[in-house]
Amino acid sequence: MTAAQDTQERERDRRKVFADLTPLRTSAHYRRLWFGSTVSWVGQGMTALAVSLQVYDITRSPFSVGLVGLFALVPLIVFGLYGGAIADTVDRRKLGLASASGSAALSIALAAAAFAGFHHVWFLYGIVALQAVCNALNAPARSSMIPRLLPPEQLRAANALNSMVMTFGTLVGPSLGGLIVGFAGYQTAYLVDAVAFTASLYAMWRLPSMLPDRTGGKRASVLDGLRFLATRPNLRMTFFSDFCAMILAHPRALFPAVAVLWYGGDARTTGLLVAAPAFGALLGGVLSGWQGRIRHHGQAILLAVACWGTAVAVFGLTRNLWLGLLLLALAGYSDTVSMIFRNTMMQVAAPDEMRGRLQGVFIVVVAGGPRLGDFLAGSVADLTSPAVAITGGGVACVVAIGLLALYGRGFRRYDAHDPTP
């Protein structure tokens, strides 16, 4: 074996474990978009924490801080579907530029208000709501661009890389934001976020025109997108499977109680419980090389969701903190595996003219599902106990995904080499 062949063999072995970087090597447009997304996700994580800290600094009310999430959630759900329809009507590059510019302008407004000493909670709530609208417009445009930049065989690898961006931003952004607020104030954190958006804006500015492949000049309809989804069982199953995990087995709302009642801990213990699934999710992207050998994406999704439910159910039975953290990390890893294959199915099996609207539905599911899961877990725990809520939810998730597997024979047979929506 020559030295070149030996190097190629080692590279193939590495890809079997670690994330496939081929999309970053082969497409300069995707590479810039990926880097810009990484920087902007970190900036958005900083701003999210800074706004929460500022609201608490003004009000000294945890309830007021909780309302920040509500003001972000409602516009995201309401405008998610319409953002997808717009992305299927106009030039997606221009929509991405406009929405990212809006987000950057809102961060500048936050910084200007902080510099001017304009500290009003209603102003912060309004900015958060407008940021959610911009995100609801930007996400479908950005997601539907990727299949136009890469060949179908690279989309799974691209989705794995994208999952790393989101998780990295979620983990690093708030931590960095806390440090900047502590040392330099809210205004500096907001300014850094505004500057971070320039990387995303530059990446989109360099893209070619991204008009959707549509016949006729009729505006894309949200109802047409929902009708399309209703007649495509495999794509529909990707959303049903995610509901099984996010609604039935989502223990996040119980972490503060679990930290005290099970582990005798405090806020730091709660922080560990929150971080464990995120760490597992990051590993799900980093260690995604093996996924390239999977042809039956439906089976992979079903197994990943079953692993999520099983890990959550066993977590509800353990009282050892480190074992609990390991199980939560396994759950986060499984969720990322499911998300990668679900996104890939949507991008490959759906026609270009529907990709924005399907991504809009995906936003609603991702934003609303965990909140419904929080409500269900909290309600069951209040009526019974956290252990019953968590373990029962995990078992319910496994049972539900098993029933979906029995029902969705076509979903189980879905072949990435012959995608059928």
Side-chain angles (χ1 to χ4, degrees), residues 244-254 308 312 369-371 373-374 377 393:
C244 289
M246 294 297 100
I247 295 179
L248 298 177
H250 199 257
R252 181 184 58 189
L254 303 181
W308 163 279
V312 171
R371 272 69 181 187
D374 289 342

Side-chain angles (χ1 to χ4, degrees), residues 221-228 357:
S221 165
V222 173
L223 290 178
D224 286 344
L226 294 176
R227 292 190 191 103
F228 172 83
R357 278 167 285 185

Side-chain angles (χ1 to χ4, degrees), residues 108-344:
I108 293 174
L110 284 171
F115 274 116
F118 188 76
H119 303 302
H120 294 278
V121 172
W122 62 265
F123 174 77
L124 297 175
Y125 288 158
I127 294 292
V128 166
L130 291 174
Q131 286 176 329
V133 173
C134 290
N135 289 335
L137 296 174
N138 186 269
R142 182 185 295 272
S143 178
S144 52
M145 290 176 189
I146 294 175
R148 302 276 290 271
L149 301 175
L150 298 169
E153 62 271 15
Q154 292 184 19
L155 290 178
R156 188 223 42 93
N159 284 313
L161 293 170
N162 293 341
S163 74
M164 293 164 58
V165 168
M166 292 184 291
T167 309
F168 181 79
T170 302
L171 287 172
V172 175
S175 302
L176 188 59
L179 289 174
I180 292 177
V181 169
F183 284 105
Y186 302 114
Q187 62 273 14
T188 304
Y190 299 142
L191 276 179
V192 171
D193 183 26
V195 172
F197 271 109
T198 59
S200 181
L201 290 169
Y202 173 74
M204 289 191 181
W205 181 263
R206 292 291 303 273
L207 291 174
S209 176
M210 288 280 179
L211 284 167
D213 294 335
R214 289 182 52 79
T215 56
K218 182 182 177 182
R219 181 182 178 86
S221 165
V222 173
L223 290 178
D224 286 344
L226 294 176
R227 292 190 191 103
F228 172 83
L229 186 59
T231 59
R232 301 301 190 273
N234 288 336
L235 293 178
R236 194 168 62 245
M237 282 283 288
T238 63
F239 294 105
F240 288 161
S241 62
D242 191 45
F243 275 136
C244 289
M246 294 297 100
I247 295 179
L248 298 177
H250 199 257
R252 181 184 58 189
L254 303 181
F255 285 165
V258 164
V260 175
L261 297 176
W262 293 3
Y263 306 120
D266 51 18
R268 288 172 293 183
T269 309
T270 304
L272 289 175
L273 295 174
V274 172
F279 178 74
L282 182 61
L283 286 181
V286 173
L287 306 178
S288 61
W290 60 272
Q291 297 170 13
R293 302 192 299 274
I294 304 298
R295 288 181 55 177
H296 298 288
H297 290 185
Q299 292 181 15
I301 293 169
L302 294 170
L303 289 173
V305 175
C307 287
W308 163 279
T310 301
V312 171
V314 179
F315 169 72
L317 298 175
T318 184
R319 297 298 179 269
N320 180 278
L321 177 59
W322 295 110
L323 178 58
L325 294 175
L326 178 62
L327 289 165
L328 290 175
L330 176 60
Y333 181 94
S334 302
D335 182 49
T336 293
V337 172
S338 170
M339 181 182 68
I340 290 170
F341 285 118
R342 285 186 286 112
N343 273 335
T344 303

Side-chain angles (χ1 to χ4, degrees), residues 8-26:
Q8 292 175 355
E9 185 67 25
R10 286 199 303 270
E11 178 67 12
R12 283 194 294 268
D13 290 340
R14 185 191 68 80
R15 289 184 187 178
K16 293 178 181 178
V17 178
F18 294 104
D20 185 357
L21 304 181
T22 302
L24 295 175
R25 289 196 295 264
T26 59

